Structure formats: structure tokens, C-alpha cells
Amino acid sequence: MRLYATVAAGGFRRHATYRVATAAGVFTNTVFGFILSYTYIALWDERPQLGGYSMDDALAYVWIGQALITVCGMMGGGFEDELIERIRTGDIAVDLYRPADLQIWWFSANLGRAAYQLLGRGIAPMAAGWLAFRFTLPAGPGSWLAFMVAVALGSTVGFAIWYLVAMSAFWLMDGQGVVQVAWLGGLFFSGMLLPLNVFPGALGEVARVLPWASLLQVPADVYLGTYEGWELAGAYAFQGGWALVLLGAGRAVQAAATRKVVVQGG
């Protein structure tokens, strides 16, 4: 465990060195937050209580999305390109022979990255959005804690999705096609463009049970106090269930990849 804690700390420090990139990310998230906010204002003026959200709730949803976009990996996990490159060049063989679990290693590195992104690119845009729009805030410390648990689970699901995406490169000439499909899936089905609650009919029902809903829709609803008691436990179970399924799939793919490397190396 000490090894993986060191890897997580290293992931945090690594991303903390890119201060200019962090500042650019804060600026970009804030600008897009304002664009989406005014779009939502126009939409909610025409359709009050759309998706069961008040105007203040909808604006909060916008800024939660901007705060979590890199934390939960809605448009990329922040590590998949590096892992795909290691697979493409064959350097992954060295990683597989190390006395450390490949999946846990990358999970730990991603944990440090996500923690930094939450502090570096999450808080500032959300604070700017609240100063400009005074959107809904959680009722108290307990609600904030519930929200952070949902964020942690969402980040875990995001890692599991992108780990599977990266590992697909073992069987594909180029993993970028899968990356693009996952990118589009995360953008649309996480609720980044519009809350999944406003999706009509069967599309909405399907979208709300896909793993991407764990990245934004569920944390946002926890933040807004939509879930209470057993409903909150059910929301966590939904996220945790997808995390277990996807992490388990990642381990199965990793085992198959290890066998492939051993056979080819032999």
C-alpha cells in the first residue's frame, strides 16, 4: 500500500508542476461555464422546472459539470494516451513484469491526478460561477460530504472506463478510435451537455442506467439534495456497482493481455 500511496502522491505532484496549463484550464472551464449558464437561463426561462430543476439548480448543475469535467474524466481520463503509447511501443511488457499490479498502479496515479484537478481546476471555476449567478449550494456539511463521496465514486467509474479504453490497444492497431467513441459517450451520456433528467422517453431511461451517469448526473443530484436516506444509498450503490463491474472487466482484460505478452515473449 505504501508503494501505491507514493504513486498517488507522485501523480498529484506531477500535475501540480503544470501551473500554466492549470491556469488555462481554469480560464477555459470558467468561460464555458458562463456560456452554458446563459444558455440554461434562456432554456429555463422558456421551460421552468425542466427536468425537475429550478433555475438555481440548473445553474448549479452547469458549474458542477465544469468543476468535475477533469476530475471524473468525462472527456478523457488524463492517462489513457500515455498507457496506449506504452502498449503500442511495447514498453508495457516492462510494466507487466514489475512486482506491482498494473491496474492499481494506474488507479493510484489517477487518484493523485484527480485530487489535484479538483483543487486546481474545480474549486476556482465553481467559486466564480457562484459569485456571478448565486446558484444553489448544499444545505450543510453533511450534504457536502455526501457530494464528495459521490465525486470519489464517479472518479473511480471514470478511471475504470478509460482503463478499459486504453487496454483495448492490445488488440487494435490504434486505440484512438475507441478513445473517440468513449469521448463522445462521456460528453453526451454523462449529462455534460444537458442533464439526463431532461432526456425524453426511452433515451432518458437508457442514459440514466449507463455508467457515464455516475460521472456527473449522480454527483450533481446528490449535491442538489435529490437523494435522501435509502435513495442516497441507492445512488452510491449504482456508482459502486458500475465501478466494480468495470474494474473487474479491466482486470480480466489485463489478465488476457498479460498472457498475450508472456506468449509473445516466450
Side-chain angles (χ1 to χ4, degrees):
M1 292 302 295
R2 182 183 228 173
L3 169 64
Y4 300 119
T6 301
V7 172
F12 186 98
R13 289 194 301 270
R14 176 185 179 184
H15 286 84
T17 60
Y18 300 113
R19 297 175 183 173
V20 174
T22 298
V26 169
F27 176 77
T28 302
N29 288 1
T30 303
V31 169
F32 274 98
F34 274 89
I35 293 171
L36 285 172
S37 291
Y38 286 115
T39 303
Y40 275 38
I41 288 172
L43 180 59
W44 259 259
D45 276 339
E46 292 294 321
R47 297 283 302 276
Q49 296 298 318
L50 180 63
Y53 295 143
S54 67
M55 177 75 79
D56 288 344
D57 291 345
L59 290 171
Y61 186 97
V62 168
W63 292 97
I64 293 167
Q66 294 306 307
L68 299 185
I69 188 170
T70 54
V71 176
C72 293
M74 283 171 260
M75 297 173 65
F79 68 91
E80 65 280 355
D81 288 340
E82 181 180 352
L83 182 51
I84 287 172
E85 181 64 14
R86 292 190 69 80
I87 294 170
R88 189 187 67 80
T89 60
D91 291 341
I92 193 68
V94 177
D95 300 337
L96 290 170
Y97 281 114
R98 285 174 180 165
D101 183 87
L102 185 69
Q103 188 185 54
I104 300 177
W105 177 285
W106 284 97
F107 176 80
S108 301
N110 185 68
L111 180 64
R113 179 201 65 82
Y116 175 75
Q117 295 293 353
L118 180 62
L119 295 174
R121 288 185 58 175
I123 294 175
M126 200 162 181
W130 185 81
L131 289 172
F133 298 100
R134 304 292 179 174
F135 53 72
T136 304
L137 292 175
S143 298
W144 278 108
L145 178 60
F147 171 61
M148 293 309 301
V149 171
V151 170
L153 289 169
S155 181
T156 301
V157 174
F159 164 80
I161 290 172
W162 288 105
Y163 186 76
L164 277 171
V165 168
M167 295 297 281
S168 70
F170 271 104
W171 290 271
L172 300 173
M173 293 296 292
D174 184 359
Q176 290 307 309
V178 182
V179 168
Q180 289 299 316
V181 171
W183 184 87
L184 289 171
L187 180 65
F188 187 76
F189 288 112
S190 67
M192 190 68 203
L193 297 177
L194 275 174
L196 302 183
N197 292 347
V198 310
F199 284 21
L203 175 61
E205 293 176 6
V206 171
R208 287 189 289 273
V209 298
L210 292 176
W212 289 287
S214 299
L215 309 187
L216 174 56
Q217 185 66 57
V218 174
D221 282 338
V222 171
Y223 174 101
L224 294 170
T226 303
Y227 303 114
E228 294 182 359
W230 286 109
E231 290 182 343
L232 179 59
Y236 290 158
F238 173 80
Q239 291 179 293
W242 270 119
L244 290 174
V245 167
L246 294 171
L247 289 172
R251 296 202 72 78
V253 173
Q254 177 181 312
T258 302
R259 288 193 296 270
K260 182 178 180 181
V261 170
V262 170
V263 170
Q264 290 179 345

